[in-house]
Each structure stands twice: as C-alpha cells, then as structure tokens.
Amino acid sequence: LVIIILILTLFIIYYFSRYKKKYKVGIVIFAIVCYLVLILNYFCNSGIEGPTLMYFVLTFLFLIILSNSKLHYLLIVSHIATVSSLLYVEYNNPDLLPTTYQTKLDRFLDIGVGFVIAVIFIYSLFTYLRDFYNAKRLIADERAIAISAQNKQILAQNQQLEQVNEEKNKLFSIVSH
C-alpha cells in the first residue's frame, strides 16, 4: 500500500511539474509525502537506533537542491521541527518504538545499507549539479564568444564608417574650394 501511494504521488508530482508548470506544488507534495513516509519509518524502524535520521538529512538535501530559495526557510523549519518532535516523542515515550533488530548484525546491516544508499544518493545529486553547472557555463562561454565576435564586427564597421566619413569630409572640402 505504501509503495502504491508513493508511485501515485510521483505521478501527481510529475503531472504538476511537467504539464501544469507548478513546480512549487510538486515539491511541497513530495516533501509532505517524504515526511509521512519517514515518520512512519522512524516509528517502525527503531527510532533513533535506525537509519531514519540519515534519510531525513538526505531528503532535506534533495529538497533544497530541487526547490527555489523561497522554500528553503520553510524546509529548514519543517525538517528541524519534525525531527525534534520525533526525538521528543521517543525520549518521553520510549515504549512507542519497537526494537526491530533481532541481532546487533541486523542493526549494523540496516545502517550500513542506509549509509551506502546515502553516499550513492549524495554522489548522484552532486554529479547532477556539477553537470548542470558545466552545461550552463558552456552556454555562457558560447554566448560570450558570440558577443565578442559581434563586438569585433561592430568595431570594424565603425572604422569603415569613420573612413567613409573622413573621405566625405575631404570631398566636401575639395568641392567647397
């Protein structure tokens, strides 16, 4: 059921961002769904003993990269408030969170896999950002070269106009004599 909800949410986000051009709505929907899934994961996966807090950091990073700076303050506040609330609830009611790890190895594997996912995710995000930056820089460099060529052409035309103007002035001075 959770996977069906996530897939449906992704389609809704895609629809809003691609066809309606409402990127902000798509990001807000994505953030809300992420919060709900992570809160559920926190309570089902041993709370602070599990990898959920690391996933909150990844979600924050992903949302900050995708959103414009107007949403950043809201994302910072909502992430801090959500995680703080979860920690507060766990601290005051430790019985609410089951211990889902049968052995120490299970916990280490879960956190280790979470770490590998986090590293791959962060690498992918920063590779995307670097490639995006390089593509934009290449476009800017090409525009600068085109502008430079136009400037050279304009300077050459100015020189030609000055020469024509000087010849015209000489001609008028000869005719006026």
Side-chain angles (χ1 to χ4, degrees), residues 74-152:
L74 176 65
L75 291 170
I76 290 169
V77 170
S78 61
H79 255 73
I80 290 173
T82 303
V83 171
S84 298
S85 298
L86 289 171
L87 293 173
Y88 178 79
V89 168
E90 181 178 1
Y91 182 77
N92 289 317
N93 302 303
D95 299 337
L96 286 177
L97 299 151
T99 303
T100 56
Y101 302 112
Q102 302 298 325
T103 65
K104 191 174 182 178
L105 177 66
D106 291 341
R107 180 173 181 268
F108 277 88
L109 286 175
D110 191 27
I111 292 180
V113 168
F115 177 76
V116 169
I117 290 170
V119 168
I120 291 170
F121 188 74
I122 290 170
Y123 173 77
S124 300
L125 284 174
F126 281 102
T127 300
Y128 168 77
L129 285 176
R130 185 185 64 232
D131 293 345
F132 183 76
Y133 170 77
N134 287 337
K136 291 293 184 182
R137 190 184 69 202
L138 183 64
I139 290 169
D141 290 346
E142 289 172 355
R143 285 183 184 161
I145 291 169
I147 290 171
S148 177
Q150 279 181 333
N151 284 341
K152 287 179 183 177

Side-chain angles (χ1 to χ4, degrees), residues 35-91:
Y35 287 148
L36 293 175
V37 168
L38 290 173
I39 289 168
L40 179 65
N41 188 55
Y42 187 85
F43 282 106
C44 294
N45 200 9
S46 299
I48 199 168
E49 296 294 322
T52 306
L53 293 180
M54 183 171 37
Y55 295 145
F56 266 104
V57 172
L58 286 177
T59 303
F60 177 72
L61 177 64
F62 187 67
L63 289 170
I64 290 296
I65 288 173
L66 288 180
S67 65
N68 63 22
S69 58
K70 294 177 184 176
L71 278 178
H72 290 181
Y73 179 73
L74 176 65
L75 291 170
I76 290 169
V77 170
S78 61
H79 255 73
I80 290 173
T82 303
V83 171
S84 298
S85 298
L86 289 171
L87 293 173
Y88 178 79
V89 168
E90 181 178 1
Y91 182 77

